Each structure stands twice: as structure tokens, then as C-alpha cells.
């Protein structure tokens, strides 16, 4: 989960490390630290709890630390509370080795106890310090850092991305990776490691992606990579084509607000290249029509917002494909002895392409013979490389912890995939196929139209922000959309919020409704609108205040029952969740703003979950 950056070159390292950490602070902001080595000062380590600004102020923007070799870290705490001692980098007992770590060392207690019996003293409560102390132990045995790293990696179990510097190696940075992302950056004035490309895109676009078990040795002029047996490995380089300004705030008050407004263009970039001559074209999808017809069951596996994309897709895909579609939380899938075989198609959805639970679930599905398709945003990510097929959302970098445009692009890409498969199967009427495609192509325009006039959303947020518990209700696609709307609200405003299928109200949930309770009623799905209105009447009868979301054609009818109404433009029923989620994102944003919350960096959360 944490952010890692390392640099070795001909420039001062500390300012570069701070700049990279600032661009990755969404990966963790419980504490931050850097270690820089120079010939004059030796190994200098500075770290502190709290936001990166605390560290930047402490070292005066990096001016206090001399040296052209260094590592940096911004932490999302797992082992040990957020404090100065548990912050990274961690230093070995004799002070000669410093390292940063992302991941979890599962057997750290066993190793720690062994080292303590040998007289090693530990200062932190983290699993990461174990790696530093074990590395010193093996280095003292063999007096070769690369060999010592190899020995350590053979002993530790779990996931890791490591950046290591040693006072005995003044010109080298060592990196290692397993089940946690780490990239290599090839620059003109030096070379880099980073857990996210956004950290180094300002300095280089020439990168390589480390694979599990690999070790890299970086100097100012070269990067050498080795496998787990220390055999040299040739790495393929990739050119990153992201616009650097996409990872900058650009005058907006928050990244989340900026990314909400970027959604029309992001959707256009996802959809337009994949529609040609009135057909969906997926150049990177290799399944033939015969193979698709042989699929007996489809699984969609994801976490968080990506799981909610899967919930929407289940409703749409089963109508389109007439095949059973099962949506599973990745963290539950591989422990449930899933009924997956060679006739299963498993779709894994992940923004980062590094979500550890999703990656493990995909590996389990492949082990059982399933065909896998990844829907991800980050090119070259672990899930993208391991899946049988991969389709990218092309959303560009998303910095706010609470996803908006990554969610929206996943949603429309899944709609495209569903249409493509239905066309191969012959299960979709061609007039409906054409109608959905036509509406999908004007979806960005309709979204932009709504985003030009959303003052009512801002007003309702100012009216309802002081509620401590909010319920979202809806049927069918509206229920699936409500799951994401509720998550957005709780993520950034810290209001207790839940989404329920409104047909389930009488089976327990309605007992929570009392006078003044806010219910966000989602009624965009036309086939069940009248039934849904009955549910609104039920909560109103118990004293709830109802804020409704519907379409323009139902605005007047909804207004006769609800206390307040937000309306979005009309579109094909399949695409209504794509339009409807936008006011829900804005509502969450403005509620959080009214409550004084840190919108881009909500408490206890970080962007990419690379630990179980």
C-alpha cells in the first residue's frame, strides 16, 4: 500500500525523493521518511509521523540532506501504530543499512525471535525492520550486499517491494519485488525505483516493470536485474505516455473534484477507439466466437468500487448474454473453493492492477483452468501481465484516494465487453445493440451537460451534511449504483452510510428508519419505477427525509413523493448507472467539504491495496 521512491544519479537526491513522495502520498500518509547517503555525511535518515509536509519542513525541502543516492517512503500503517519510530526507512542495528518496504512479511515474528536470541535489538513494532536486521546479519556473513539480499529473500515469506542502500556501497541502490509493485526508471541524470509511475514521470518516461523474485542494482549509469538465483535478466523497456499534468491539481481545490470533471473525457477515450463502423472492436481480446460459446459461467472478481462495477455488470451481462454471471469479492473468492473450471471466464477488475486479493484470486482461477480477462488502468501492472487477456480503461492517473473516473471508465468498458460477447453469441437484438452503442457515444456529452449545472447537488449537500447515518435504496441497477454512492460518502465524509435493495426494506432494514433519517432514493430504472415509489412512500411514512435521484422524465412524478429531487439526462437503461453515479460522487464531495474532511486523503485509507 505504501509509496516507495529511490534515486541514484548526479543530482541531489532529497528534493527528488520529496517530489516523488508528494505525487504518491495517496498511497499512504501516516508517516514519511527519507534516507540519503553522501561521502561527507554518510547515511542520513530523517522520518516523522503525519503528512509529508512535516518531513519536508523538517529537512527544509531536502536542502539539509546532501547526497545523490537515496530512498523515500510514505506509509499506510499495518504493523505498528503511526509514529516516528515505526516510520520508514528502517535502519539496521549498526546503522550501515537503510531500507523501505511495501507489503507484509508473514513470518516476521519467527525471524525476529531468532535474531533477538542472537542479541539483535529492535526499535520498532514493524515487520519491515526485521528485513533490515536480517540483511545486516547475512551481510556480516558474506560481505556481499547482492548475495546478502538473495539470502534474505529466500528466508522471508509474504509480499514485498524493497529499496535498500548501504554505507559500504556509496554508488548503488538495490531493489527487490514480490507481489507488490515496483518499477525501474531510466533517466538521463540518474535512475529510479518507484511503486507508482506518477512518482517519476516528471523525470523519465522510460520504465521497466520488475517481476516477482527479481533483484535490481541501480547506479547513476546503469540498471542490472537478476532473478532469484542471481542470474542476469534482460528487461523490456516501456514508454509511459501519460500527460504529466494529469497527475497535478491544475488549480482545482481537490484532485477528487478535478477527476469528477474529467470523467466525460476519460469515458470518451475509453469508448471511442473501440467503436468502429457501428461495431464494438476489442483488438486485445483473443477469445474466438467458438470459445465464447463454450463458456458456461462467468465470474467477475474485484474489490471495493471495482466490485460495484461488477454488480452493475451482472445485471447488464445476464440480460445481454443469457449466461449466469457471478460477482465475487476477491478477498472471499479463493477461500471459498470456487466452482471454476476450463469452461469458466473470469473477469478481474482492478484500478491499479496490483490489488493483492484480486491478483491472488486470478491466480487461483487460472490454477483451476479458467480463462482470465483483466480490466485495469495501469499498463504493465502485475494483473495485466498475468491475465490471459487484458483491456485497459485508459483513464490516466487518478490521484484522489476515492475513485471516480477509474470507476466510470471500468463501467463503460465492461458495457463494451458485454456487448462484444453478446454479439459473438448472437444473444442481443441488433436494434438494441445499435441503440446502446449510439447512446454510449453521446454519454460524455450528456455527462458534461449535467456537470455544467450541478448547483442543486451542492445545495442539497449543504442541507444534509450534518446527518450521522444515511441510507441509499434502489432496485436492480439502481441498487448496484447505490452501493458505489454509499461507499463514496462513507469514504470521504466518515458518515455511516449503507445501500440496500429497496425491496428488502421490510425484511429488517426499515427498523433503522426514524424521524429525520436521510434516505437517498435512487429511481432511474424505469421498469421498476412504480414499485420503487412504493418503497419511498414506506420510508416517508416512518419519518424519513428523502433525497431522490431520477431521470428528467420522472422528475415531476418523483417530486410528488420525495422531499428533494436531482435529475440526470435520459439514456439507455444499461447506461443509467454511468450517468447516475456522477451526482452521487458530487454529493459525497460537497458533504465532505461541508464537514471539513481531508477529501483527497481520507483517514485510514490509501489508493492501492497491496496487502491482504
Amino acid at each position: 500500500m505504501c509509496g516507495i521512491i529511490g534515486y541514484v544519479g548526479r543530482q541531489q537526491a532529497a528534493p527528488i525523493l520529496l517530489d516523488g513522495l508528494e505525487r504518491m502520498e495517496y498511497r499512504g500518509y501516516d508517516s514519511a521518511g527519507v534516507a540519503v547517503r553522501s561521502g561527507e555525511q554518510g547515511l542520513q535518515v530523517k522520518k516523522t509521523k503525519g503528512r509529508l509536509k512535516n518531513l519536508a519542513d523538517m529537512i527544509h525541502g531536502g536542502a539539509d540532506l546532501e547526497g545523490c543516492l537515496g530512498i523515500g517512503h510514505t506509509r499506510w500503517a499495518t504493523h505498528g501504530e503511526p509514529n516516528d519510530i515505526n516510520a520508514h526507512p528502517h535502519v539496521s542495528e549498526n546503522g550501515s543499512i537503510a531500507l523501505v518496504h511495501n507489503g507484509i512479511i508473514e513470518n516476521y515474528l519467527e525471524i525476529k525471535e531468532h535474531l533477538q536470541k542472537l542479541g539483535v535489538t529492535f526499535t520498532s513494532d514493524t515487520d519491515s525492520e526485521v528485513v533490515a536486521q536480517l540483511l545486516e546479519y547475512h551481510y556480516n556473513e558474506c560481505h556481499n550486499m547482492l548475495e546478502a539480499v538473495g539470502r534474505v529473500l529466500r528466508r522471508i515469506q509474504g509480499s514485498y517491494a524493497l529499496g535498500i542502500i548501504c554505507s559500504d556501497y556509496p554508488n548503488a541502490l538495490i531493489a527487490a519485488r514480490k507481489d507488490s509493485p515496483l518499477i525501474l526508471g531510466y533517466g538521463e541524470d540518474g535512475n529510479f525505483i518507484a511503486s507508482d509511475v506518477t512518482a517519476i514521470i516528471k523525470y523519465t518516461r522510460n520504465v521497466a516493470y520488475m517481476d516477482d523474485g527479481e533483484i535490481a542494482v541501480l547506479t547513476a549509469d546503469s540498471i542490472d536485474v537478476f532473478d532469484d538465483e542471481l542470474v542476469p535478466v534482460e528487461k523490456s523497456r516501456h514508454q509511459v505516455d501519460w500527460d504529466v499534468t494529469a497527475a497535478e491539481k491544475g488549480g482545482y481545490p481537490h484532485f477528487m473534484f478535478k477527476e469528477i470533471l474529467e470523467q466525460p473525457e476519460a469515458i470518451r477515450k475509453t469508448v471511442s477507439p473501440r467503436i468502429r463502423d457501428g461495431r464494438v472492436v476489442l483488438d486485445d481480446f483473443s477469445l474466438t466466437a467458438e470459445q465464447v460459446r463454450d463458456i458456461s459461467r462467468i465470474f467477475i472478481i474485484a474489490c471495493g468500487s471495482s466490485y460495484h462495477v461488477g454488480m452493475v455488470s451482472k445485471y447488464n451481462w445476464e440480460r445481454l448474454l443469457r449466461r449466469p454471471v457471478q460477482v465475487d469479492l476477491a478477498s472471499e473468492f479463493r477461500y471459498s473453493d470456487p466452482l471454476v473450471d476450463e469452461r469458466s471466464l473470469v473477469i478481474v477488475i482492478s484500478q491499479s492492477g496490483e490489488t493483492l486479493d484480486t491478483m491472488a484470486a486470478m491466480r487461483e482461477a487460472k490454477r483451476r483452468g479458467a480463462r482470465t480477462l483483466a480490466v485495469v488502468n495501469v499498463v504493465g501492472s502485475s494483473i495485466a501481465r498475468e491475465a490471459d487477456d487484458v483491456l485497459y480503461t485508459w483513464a490516466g492517473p487518478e490521484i484522489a484516494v476515492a475513485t471516480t473516473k477509474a470507476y466510470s471508465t471500468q463501467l463503460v468498458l465492461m458495457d463494451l465487453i458485454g456487448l462484444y460477447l453478446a454479439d459473438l453469441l448472437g444473444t442481443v437484438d441488433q436494434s438494441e445493440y445499435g441503440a446502446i452503442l449510439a447512446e454510449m457515444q453521446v454519454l460524455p456529452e450528456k455527462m458534461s451537460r449535467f456537470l455544467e449545472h450541478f448547483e442543486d447537488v451542492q445545495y442539497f449537500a449543504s442541507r444534509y451534511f450534518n446527518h450521522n447515518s444515511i441510507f441509499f435504496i434502489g432496485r436492480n441497477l439502481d441498487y448496484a449504483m447505490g452501493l458505489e454512492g454509499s461507499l463514496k460518502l462513507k469514504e470521504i465524509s466518515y458518515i455511516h452510510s449503507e445501500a440496500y435493495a429497496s425491496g428488502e426494506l421490510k425484511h429488517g432494514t426499515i427498523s433503522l428508519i426514524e424521524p429525520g433519517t436521510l434516505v437517498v432514493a435512487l429511481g432511474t430504472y424505469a421498469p421498476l419505477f412504480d414499485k420503487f415509489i412504493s418503497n419511498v412512500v414506506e420510508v416517508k411514512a416512518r419519518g424519513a427525509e428523502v433525497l431522490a435521484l431520477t431521470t428528467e422524465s420522472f422528475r415531476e412524478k418523483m417530486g410528488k413523493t420525495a422531499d428533494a429531487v436531482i435529475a440526470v439526462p435520459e439514456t439507455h437503461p444499461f447506461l443509467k448507472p454511468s450517468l447516475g453515479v456522477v451526482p452521487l460522487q458530487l454529493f459525497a464531495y460537497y458533504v465532505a467539504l461541508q464537514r471539513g474532511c481531508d477529501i483527497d486523503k481520507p483517514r485510514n485509507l490509501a489508493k492501492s491495496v497491496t496487502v491482504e
Side-chain angles (χ1 to χ4, degrees):
M1 180 84 77
C2 311
I4 288 175
I5 185 171
Y7 170 76
V8 54
R10 286 171 282 276
Q11 299 184 40
Q12 291 298 303
I16 293 173
L17 299 177
L18 288 175
D19 181 66
L21 291 177
E22 183 179 4
R23 294 169 183 273
M24 288 192 297
E25 199 176 5
Y26 56 84
R27 296 182 68 92
Y29 30 88
D30 292 330
S31 59
V34 294
V36 176
R37 192 200 181 283
S38 75
E40 294 288 328
Q41 303 295 326
L43 198 60
Q44 310 151 81
V45 178
K46 297 292 181 181
K47 54 185 183 176
T48 183
K49 68 178 181 180
R51 298 297 171 87
L52 181 65
K53 186 180 185 303
N54 297 347
L55 176 66
D57 290 344
M58 176 191 292
I59 60 176
H60 299 96
D64 293 355
L65 302 182
E66 177 199 351
C68 300
L69 167 65
I71 50 178
H73 189 272
T74 181
R75 181 175 185 241
W76 182 78
T78 52
H79 291 70
E81 66 178 86
N83 59 31
D84 292 358
I85 294 173
N86 291 329
H88 297 225
H90 287 288
V91 181
S92 63
E93 191 174 25
N94 68 7
S96 66
I97 298 170
L99 64 77
V100 290
H101 168 231
N102 183 16
I104 287 182
I105 307 303
E106 295 174 355
N107 61 337
Y108 82 100
L109 273 178
E110 170 193 331
I111 296 172
K112 184 174 184 177
E113 290 170 359
H114 173 70
L115 292 173
Q116 285 174 326
K117 288 176 182 177
L118 296 175
V120 176
T121 300
F122 285 79
T123 60
S124 78
D125 300 317
T126 69
D127 57 329
S128 305
E129 188 189 356
V130 167
V131 184
Q133 307 296 5
L134 184 62
L135 187 53
E136 179 186 296
Y137 172 79
H138 285 299
Y139 180 66
N140 289 338
E141 284 183 330
C142 64
H143 304 289
N144 181 293
M145 182 54 69
L146 189 58
E147 173 60 28
V149 170
R151 293 184 186 185
V152 168
L153 299 188
R154 286 189 283 273
R155 287 191 62 180
I156 60 176
Q157 299 169 11
S159 60
Y160 53 80
L162 295 167
I164 303 163
I165 59 176
C166 175
S167 58
D168 293 346
Y169 289 78
N171 303 309
L173 164 65
I174 297 178
R177 179 241 202 241
K178 177 180 177 290
D179 290 337
S180 197
L182 203 61
I183 64 171
L184 305 170
Y186 300 79
E188 292 184 4
D189 293 317
N191 294 309
F192 301 81
I193 63 168
S195 51
D196 197 317
V197 70
T198 55
I200 61 172
I201 195 171
K202 177 179 176 181
Y203 305 98
T204 181
R205 296 173 178 273
N206 192 6
V207 305
Y209 302 96
M210 292 187 71
D211 290 310
D212 280 355
E214 290 183 341
I215 304 170
V217 179
L218 295 80
T219 67
D221 300 307
S222 66
I223 300 179
D224 297 310
V225 182
F226 306 87
D227 66 14
D228 54 6
E229 298 296 328
L230 300 184
V231 176
V233 174
E234 284 292 324
K235 298 297 292 182
S236 299
R237 299 193 194 184
H238 304 269
Q239 194 73 14
V240 177
D241 58 3
W242 281 357
D243 180 0
V244 68
T245 60
E248 296 173 347
K249 205 176 292 183
Y252 290 95
H254 298 94
F255 276 109
M256 184 179 180
F257 185 64
K258 174 177 180 274
E259 288 157 5
I260 289 172
L261 299 182
E262 287 175 343
Q263 287 178 115
E265 183 59 25
I267 288 172
R268 187 176 289 109
K269 288 179 179 177
T270 302
V271 170
S272 295
R274 293 178 166 121
I275 299 178
R276 300 175 208 157
D277 300 322
R279 315 303 299 174
V280 178
V281 179
L282 302 178
D283 292 326
D284 298 322
F285 188 54
S286 63
L287 278 182
T288 65
E290 183 179 352
Q291 289 171 317
V292 171
R293 283 191 288 270
D294 194 46
I295 294 169
S296 62
R297 192 179 190 89
I298 297 170
F299 293 81
I300 301 175
I301 300 171
C303 304
S305 292
S306 297
Y307 173 77
H308 299 158
V309 169
M311 290 293 290
V312 173
S313 298
K314 173 182 170 64
Y315 286 111
N316 283 344
W317 282 33
E318 287 190 336
R319 289 192 187 93
L320 284 172
L321 306 179
R322 310 313 301 162
R323 293 284 195 283
V325 178
Q326 179 173 325
V327 187
D328 282 291
L329 289 164
S331 56
E332 292 292 321
F333 176 82
R334 67 183 173 124
Y335 301 116
S336 63
D337 196 16
L339 299 176
V340 173
D341 57 25
E342 62 278 357
R343 295 187 65 198
S344 303
L345 174 62
V346 173
I347 316 286
V348 292
I349 311 176
S350 168
Q351 299 165 39
S352 66
E354 302 289 351
T355 312
L356 189 58
D357 285 318
T358 307
M359 196 183 329
M362 182 183 73
R363 288 170 178 169
E364 178 64 19
K366 291 187 74 170
R367 189 182 69 80
R368 293 171 182 253
R371 181 83 182 193
T372 57
L373 168 63
V375 172
V376 300
N377 188 37
V378 180
V379 176
S381 55
S382 298
I383 289 174
R385 285 179 286 151
E386 293 187 27
D388 296 314
D389 292 288
V390 58
L391 292 171
Y392 292 107
T393 55
W394 299 328
E398 186 178 66
I399 306 302
V401 168
T403 181
T404 52
K405 65 176 181 176
Y407 171 89
S408 294
T409 51
Q410 287 174 352
L411 201 55
V412 293
L413 181 52
M414 288 294 286
D415 286 335
L416 284 170
I417 297 168
L419 281 171
Y420 179 82
L421 294 175
D423 196 30
L424 288 179
L425 291 170
T427 53
V428 59
D429 181 83
Q430 288 303 301
S431 62
E432 182 171 38
Y433 179 95
I436 296 172
L437 276 192
E439 278 298 307
M440 193 173 289
Q441 289 173 290
V442 297
L443 183 63
E445 178 187 336
K446 292 185 176 183
M447 192 176 289
S448 294
R449 191 192 319 159
F450 178 84
L451 286 170
E452 289 171 1
H453 304 285
F454 56 80
E455 297 84 0
D456 53 346
V457 179
Q458 192 172 0
Y459 166 71
F460 294 135
S462 68
R463 180 171 158 184
Y464 295 124
F465 76 92
N466 58 351
H467 285 261
N468 293 319
S469 189
I470 297 176
F471 299 99
F472 288 68
I473 62 171
R475 288 177 177 265
N476 204 274
L477 287 169
D478 285 331
Y479 163 59
M481 177 174 63
L483 291 170
E484 178 62 10
S486 175
L487 177 61
K488 281 290 132 321
L489 187 66
K490 71 179 71 168
E491 278 181 319
I492 63 171
S493 74
Y494 318 139
I495 293 174
H496 170 253
S497 172
E498 303 294 339
Y500 294 99
S502 55
E504 289 294 295
L505 280 170
K506 290 181 177 177
H507 297 279
T509 306
I510 205 165
S511 67
L512 299 172
I513 304 298
E514 58 186 11
T517 300
L518 179 62
V519 173
V520 179
L522 310 177
T524 71
Y525 187 62
L528 295 176
F529 183 81
D530 290 336
K531 286 185 179 294
F532 173 72
I533 286 291
S534 298
N535 301 136
V536 175
V537 171
E538 287 173 358
V539 296
K540 286 282 292 179
R542 271 75 179 181
E545 188 159 1
V546 175
L547 170 62
L549 172 68
T550 189
T551 55
E552 289 290 354
S553 60
F554 284 124
R555 180 197 285 270
E556 184 178 352
K557 192 171 184 180
M558 183 69 87
K560 294 176 181 178
T561 306
D563 297 288
V565 179
I566 300 169
V568 294
E570 290 291 342
T571 188
H572 191 280
F574 278 34
L575 303 177
K576 285 180 179 178
S578 291
L579 275 180
V581 77
V582 176
L584 300 184
Q585 295 166 345
L586 285 166
F587 182 70
Y589 172 79
Y590 280 113
V591 166
L593 194 64
Q594 289 282 342
R595 292 169 71 94
C597 299
D598 193 341
I599 291 171
D600 285 337
K601 303 180 183 73
R603 69 187 183 201
N604 303 332
L605 298 179
K607 187 69 176 171
S608 176
V609 184
T610 56
V611 295
E612 275 196 280

